[in-house]
């Protein structure tokens, strides 16, 4: 299938990341525990921007080695050139090689504007970020382990490699959806029916389990439990039929 259309990506942005996970779970052939999702504390420093969605571009950086910085005087230009050669929208998935003892960052006001100009809608790093308000003004969302002050000897060092971040593996080109709940990174083989799965699962909840609870006002607890039992059976039946249809295609 390749990349999703801009319209499809825009629609995926309308849901939160847990809802995207629910849709992925419905259409994938993988075990649920194989999901590439964040496992660990992560903070969204621009929650008002809502979810971000784009394709992963990976970078590994170091901020504590003055010699490495001297040996790579054009490290940022090299990163910018790398980003310029990849179509957007992109999300920078950035591994801090100093983490958890981060001493600097490659994310601040200047770089946020540069990354945005090069088609990046935001970043996820296991290090820290700076100038998050200014980044938001630029339309660049930052998610990180914490906030910090300086950049030290910041040096983007490796680009386009598979990385381990927040307890999961992220490869370049994976579809990333991220918000205040964390992120999910989806492999290309699960692209074809992802949007369909998200739509279905969200609608299935709204037609079964959610109204079963909200419509239980004034009923006894036993009646509420029975309503939920019937709703869950209907939800699971619908989900099984949908999943079977998808996996047979």
């Amino acid at each position: 299938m390749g990349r999703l259309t801009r319209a499809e990506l825009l629609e995926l942005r309308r849901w939160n990341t847990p809802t995207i996970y629910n849709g992925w779970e419905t259409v994938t052939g993988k075990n649920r525990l194989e999901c590439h999702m964040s496992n660990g504390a992560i903070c969204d420093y621009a929650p008002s921007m809502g979810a971000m969605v784009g394709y992963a571009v990976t970078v590994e950086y170091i901020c504590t080695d003055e010699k490495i910085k001297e040996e790579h005087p054009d490290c940022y230009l090299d990163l910018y050139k790398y980003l310029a050669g990849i179509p957007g929208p992109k999300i920078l998935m950035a591994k801090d090689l100093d983490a958890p003892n981060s001493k600097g960052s490659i994310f601040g006001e200047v770089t946020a504007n540069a990354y945005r100009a090069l088609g990046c809608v935001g970043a996820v790093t296991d290090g820290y970020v700076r100038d998050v308000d200014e980044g938001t003004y630029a339309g660049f969302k930052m998610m990180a382990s914490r906030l910090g002050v300086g950049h030290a000897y910041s040096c983007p060092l490796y680009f386009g490699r598979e990385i381990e971040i927040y307890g999961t593996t992220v490869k370049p080109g994976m579809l990333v959806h991220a918000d205040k709940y964390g992120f999910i990174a989806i492999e290309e083989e699960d692209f074809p029916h992802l949007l369909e799965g998200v739509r279905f699962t969200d609608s299935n909840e709204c037609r079964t389990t959610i109204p079963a609870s909200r419509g239980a006002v004034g009923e006894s607890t036993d009646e509420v439990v029975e309503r939920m039992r019937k709703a869950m059976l209907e939800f699971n039946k619908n989900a099984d039929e949908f999943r079977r249809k998808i996996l047979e295609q």
Side-chain angles (χ1 to χ4, degrees):
M1 177 185 178
R3 297 166 67 87
L4 278 68
T5 66
R6 290 275 183 168
E8 290 169 330
L9 294 177
L10 181 61
E11 190 168 351
L12 287 175
R13 275 199 66 198
R14 297 173 67 87
W15 287 286
N16 66 16
T17 302
T19 302
I20 303 302
Y21 167 86
N22 291 346
W24 169 86
E25 185 181 274
T26 304
V27 302
T28 188
K30 302 182 182 67
N31 184 289
R32 295 177 185 181
L33 296 179
E34 296 180 74
C35 182
H36 297 271
M37 61 181 175
S38 53
N39 295 288
I42 182 171
C43 189
D44 179 355
Y45 289 103
S48 62
M49 294 179 70
M52 62 177 173
V53 61
Y55 296 95
V57 287
T58 62
V59 57
E60 297 160 83
Y61 65 95
I62 189 169
C63 301
T64 58
D65 196 315
E66 183 178 4
K67 184 177 180 182
I68 288 179
K69 179 72 170 182
E70 291 174 349
E71 291 173 348
H72 297 82
D74 297 323
C75 57
Y76 277 97
L77 286 177
D78 292 338
L79 175 57
Y80 296 158
K81 290 175 183 177
Y82 171 72
L83 295 174
I86 301 172
K90 295 165 278 195
I91 294 178
L92 267 168
M93 302 299 291
K95 184 172 184 63
D96 184 349
L97 298 176
D98 297 313
N101 300 308
S102 301
K103 302 295 183 182
S105 180
I106 63 169
F107 298 103
E109 180 178 11
V110 172
T111 53
N113 279 275
Y115 298 144
R116 190 67 185 87
L118 292 167
C120 297
V121 297
V124 175
T125 179
D126 55 358
Y128 70 67
V129 291
R130 315 183 306 146
D131 301 332
V132 294
D133 294 331
E134 292 80 2
T136 302
Y137 303 155
F140 186 79
K141 184 182 187 73
M142 298 190 213
M143 296 175 59
S145 64
R146 64 179 177 89
L147 296 176
V149 176
H151 53 70
Y153 298 104
S154 62
C155 181
L157 196 57
Y158 305 116
F159 318 138
R161 306 200 310 187
E162 179 180 310
I163 62 172
E164 293 287 329
I165 187 170
Y166 288 103
T168 194
T169 301
V170 175
K171 303 173 185 177
M174 296 178 87
L175 180 67
V176 175
H177 192 285
D179 62 13
K180 62 185 179 182
Y181 300 100
F183 70 82
I184 183 171
I186 298 169
E187 295 177 294
E188 186 175 348
E189 64 195 75
D190 289 328
F191 290 1
H193 299 289
L194 178 63
L195 181 55
E196 185 181 358
V198 174
R199 288 173 181 154
F200 165 80
T201 305
D202 191 52
S203 177
N204 195 21
E205 288 180 347
C206 290
R207 289 182 284 109
T208 58
T209 52
I210 294 174
S213 299
R214 293 188 177 178
V217 177
E219 296 187 355
S220 70
T221 53
D222 287 342
E223 289 172 328
V224 173
V225 170
E226 179 60 17
R227 286 173 64 95
M228 289 304 304
R229 186 188 69 82
K230 291 179 179 178
M232 287 188 289
L233 286 174
E234 183 181 359
F235 177 91
N236 291 333
K237 177 178 177 292
N238 294 341
D240 289 344
E241 291 176 353
F242 177 83
R243 180 176 170 79
R244 184 165 55 252
K245 180 187 72 173
I246 291 298
L247 296 181
E248 286 175 354
Q249 292 181 9

